[in-house]
Amino acid sequence: MNTLARQMFRTCNKLFSRKTLNDVVEAPPSNIETAAQMDNIQHLTSPSHNTSVRDSIHHIEEVMERAHHGGGWLYGIICINILILGCALVSGSAFNSVAITAVHRHIFLIILLLLTMSWMLFHTVFTSRKDEDASFRDGHAGPAWLRAGLLLFGLLSLIMDIFKIAIAVGYLHCDSAVKVAFPVVQAVFLFVQTYFLWIHVKDCVQLHTHLTRCGLALTLSTNLVVWMAAVTEESLHQTDIPDLNYNVSPRMHRASVVNKKCNCSYSACNTFKEASYYLYPFNIEYSLFASAMAYVMWKNVGRLVDNHRHHKVKFRIKDVCLGPLTGVLLVVAGLATFIAYEVDIETGDVTKTDKALLIHFIMNIVIVSMMSLSTVIGCIIYMLDHREHASEKNPTRSLDVGLLVGASLGQFIISYFTIVAVVAIEARGYLNALNLTWALLTVLQLSLQNYFIIEGLHREPFHVMQEAALHTNPHAFQENPEIIIVQESHKSSYFLTSSCDKPSWKRRVLKEVCAFLLLANIILWIMPAFGARPQFDHPIEIQFYKVSMWTAIVNIGLPFGIFYRMHSVASLFEVYIMS
């Protein structure tokens, strides 16, 4: 069935392409009206033939999708089982260092990494080379910015593994060699996986589909387990609270829990250890980027894609000034206040701690307020905009929306728990008032930004709408002076460009809003990712929920909130280039 369907699809596609080419060559357009007439003739010369071809292709796609639907559930179950087992081992090794140690966790992760690398090498050497239908590629999957982010985070994660190797070597005389083997294997895994995803992320595999789905499910599970282990280790480092003294910041105790029976053999261990913790956020984002790309590949296995449907959009920063400038100023101010916050908190002095919290709360209130205002402006532009919603099936867009909404729940949880604690205690004082204001504005900002991004991702790009208007209205050039026709030599096709490179005011406003929100989300990612924990430095929530419950809430919600900000940056960049 699969072979027959692929042959029918290729034959139909060739017939349709040949028909289209011949129709165009017979009468090359000389101006806009001729081009529009030829486009109409192309669709009217043989309507029964073109309709039957399109119906056949659509029917084949439906048959292929139904044929693989049952298998998708099987590999999803495999993924869930690996993920839950990894969650149990990671949690057990984090909170019970006797029965399940870090060595057991590392052995499990090494097995997963080796199995995943083995499948990736098999796929690269055998499946991708023998797959005759490798020409089926999803143009929406793995955009350039996503692959560039994967490469950057992979490089920083590799540096983190090098630091971990140096640390483990220092403890090798009194600790297990597995702690040296794990970062070595993970470093090799980073290289292999980055190469694999860079080359094959757009593939719609048609050969060895069952094995490919199983391998991608394993890849997805492995990256999520590695992400979970990194989040747990980083969270324990940031939020270790050995007693119930609310007046003592947990920052004073982060480095206090050390295995005194085993000391490092050289003095630079502590330096490498502190440096590696600053690289954890990049390793966490790398695992999530890789998981998203593996999921898109998994959804595209066996999928028949018409490559000509994808519209390439170029990134330009022209005519955008206010948004980037304001965003850069906000990032600089946020970095300055974040550094001052970290310095004052580390001193442990109550007065300096209150001052640091005051500055931090005010800065975050200013950021989320400006973001909410700019998002409202963007939503108003959407109401005035008449672009149609994209109807094309796109697994990448569906994943982006799902991750955006799902990741935002983490920040929603923390904000609402904070609101309940402050209101229930009827806490007084300027710090509690600022904390409550920040939580309320964060809820508003998250809601508005989710709507803005989701609406932007589901709109057709501006240049596609202009092209459609030109096809249906020959006088579109007279109404829109931005559109001109370029006649290519040896080709009778035409495309759109800009005569003055000045987009409409609605496009400019959308680009300004996207650029500002992108930079604002970057600073909101930097502060919690690199150690800002006002949830523990301000004791009101700990007093209300107690240490154990509030620590669990923050350690579950905050990693998702950090990922939400980074994912929002990626999604806003996508909305920017579509505008």
Side-chain angles (χ1 to χ4, degrees), residues 324-339:
L325 180 61
T326 309
V328 169
L329 292 176
L330 208 61
V331 170
V332 173
L335 286 174
T337 57
F338 170 64
I339 294 172

Side-chain angles (χ1 to χ4, degrees), residues 6 9-10 13-14 127-139 199-200 202-207 300 303-310:
R6 289 196 297 270
F9 183 83
R10 287 197 299 271
N13 203 17
K14 289 179 180 178
T127 304
S128 62
R129 292 186 179 182
K130 294 182 179 179
D131 192 356
E132 297 178 357
D133 295 289
S135 58
F136 290 115
R137 294 173 66 83
D138 183 4
I199 299 299
H200 300 294
K202 294 180 179 291
D203 291 352
C204 299
V205 180
Q206 308 295 326
L207 184 66
N300 280 332
R303 185 180 172 212
L304 304 178
V305 180
D306 185 1
N307 296 328
H308 300 288
R309 292 181 182 178
H310 177 60

Side-chain angles (χ1 to χ4, degrees), residues 88-89 91-105:
L89 287 174
S91 302
S93 62
F95 300 104
N96 191 337
S97 59
V98 178
I100 301 177
T101 64
V103 174
H104 298 105
R105 182 183 75 239

